[in-house]
Amino acid sequence: MATVIQGIAVGFGLLGLTISAAWRAEAHDIGWAAVGQFAPNQQRSEVSPLARTQEPTVPNRQKTGTGFFVDDKGHMLTARHAAEDCSRLIVFKEGRALAAQVVALSPSTDIALIKVTKTLGLAAVFPSTVGVSTNDMVFASAYDKLATNRGMFANATVAGSPGSQSGALQIDTDVTFGASGAPVLDSRGLVQGIISRRTGSSRVVAVGAGDAKSFLASKGVRVAEDDRSQIVATTSRASRAASISARVTCLQN
């Protein structure tokens, strides 16, 4: 498979991908989730791609990830590999579909800034000073999974943090395809990271909040920062994630 992400360490991707093509996709550095049946003679890559492939005759591919709003002007963050090399980019939320434009791709981290005409729901709040530590419980989920996960308090554990908001955040979680670009929320509902890729059966790497804020600032996007909780007593981290997130679909020729 042609390399989808350049400059990113080899690992499992967390994109959902529908493939319709006259060729068989192979997955090495990213997992391709395709609609269809397992090809009986499909080769297994050295690292399991967690992929399914079908082989009709008309070339057409669709990647699905997650993004979240970072201001009230329609700006969103998602994973870079979820938004690059797209012929069209569409954001879906609660029955609405909006065409999105790629504003910028980070040259050093797996994040992308995209924009739609208006913010759907709420904008994320980033921590002002307080980060997360090893063994802290956090929450992350693909947008399409949030409808069934609204009651979840936390579903991930911080396995390793950089000691500050910058740098890669490692978490142990069961998130799967479609979670690329999803926000990682701490107990206060603040964004501590953005899901990037899977590096093991349950280990996922996220871009840290500090790197995300620096990238957004370099593009002139101002975000809300606070160390106070954004979750009221009657809601959960999953509900907070649903309020700021949306599905991001990349259509490829």
Side-chain angles (χ1 to χ4, degrees):
M1 179 188 72
T3 302
V4 178
I5 310 169
Q6 297 182 353
I8 300 176
V10 172
F12 292 98
L14 292 163
L15 285 174
L17 177 70
T18 300
I19 303 174
S20 299
W23 39 264
R24 176 177 293 120
E26 297 177 359
H28 294 284
D29 61 336
I30 186 168
W32 299 91
V35 176
Q37 298 179 346
F38 283 104
N41 61 346
Q42 185 175 0
Q43 297 294 320
R44 298 182 68 88
S45 61
E46 183 178 350
V47 178
S48 174
L50 303 179
R52 291 182 293 177
T53 305
Q54 62 181 15
E55 303 179 17
T57 57
V58 180
N60 184 24
R61 299 198 300 173
Q62 174 178 304
K63 299 187 294 185
T64 300
T66 298
F68 62 98
F69 293 96
V70 295
D71 64 12
D72 60 359
K73 299 179 181 179
H75 287 106
M76 302 180 72
L77 273 183
T78 188
R80 186 178 73 196
H81 67 265
E84 63 184 349
D85 301 324
C86 306
S87 57
R88 284 192 295 163
L89 195 62
I90 304 172
V91 169
F92 294 91
K93 181 166 184 170
E94 297 173 349
R96 302 191 63 181
L98 297 177
Q101 294 182 330
V102 176
V103 177
L105 303 173
S106 171
S108 57
T109 56
D110 186 24
I111 51 177
L113 176 63
I114 65 176
K115 190 178 187 302
V116 293
T117 54
K118 62 182 298 184
T119 294
L120 303 176
L122 301 176
V125 178
F126 288 82
S128 179
T129 58
V130 180
V132 288
S133 302
T134 302
N135 297 324
D136 281 356
M137 297 297 293
V138 293
F139 180 84
S141 176
Y143 176 75
D144 287 345
K145 298 288 186 181
L146 289 172
T148 57
N149 288 348
R150 292 293 181 95
M152 294 187 67
F153 183 72
N155 66 349
T157 305
V158 176
S161 60
S164 67
Q165 292 180 31
S166 297
L169 183 69
Q170 298 183 62
I171 61 175
D172 289 332
T173 177
D174 61 354
V175 295
T176 54
F177 298 108
S180 290
V184 179
L185 302 183
D186 64 15
S187 61
R188 298 158 296 171
L190 302 175
V191 175
Q192 294 287 352
I194 299 95
I195 295 292
S196 173
R197 65 191 187 278
R198 183 177 296 282
T199 59
S201 60
S202 62
R203 180 65 54 84
V204 170
V205 172
V207 178
D211 287 336
K213 289 192 292 184
S214 295
F215 171 64
L216 291 171
S218 72
K219 304 306 174 185
V221 177
R222 300 183 63 179
V223 299
E225 296 182 65
D226 205 327
D227 287 331
R228 294 172 296 181
S229 178
Q230 304 300 307
I231 300 175
V232 299
T234 57
T235 61
S236 66
R237 275 179 272 197
S239 295
R240 176 64 183 175
S243 70
I244 66 176
S245 301
R247 184 200 315 157
V248 176
T249 297
C250 168
L251 302 179
Q252 297 179 311
N253 294 325

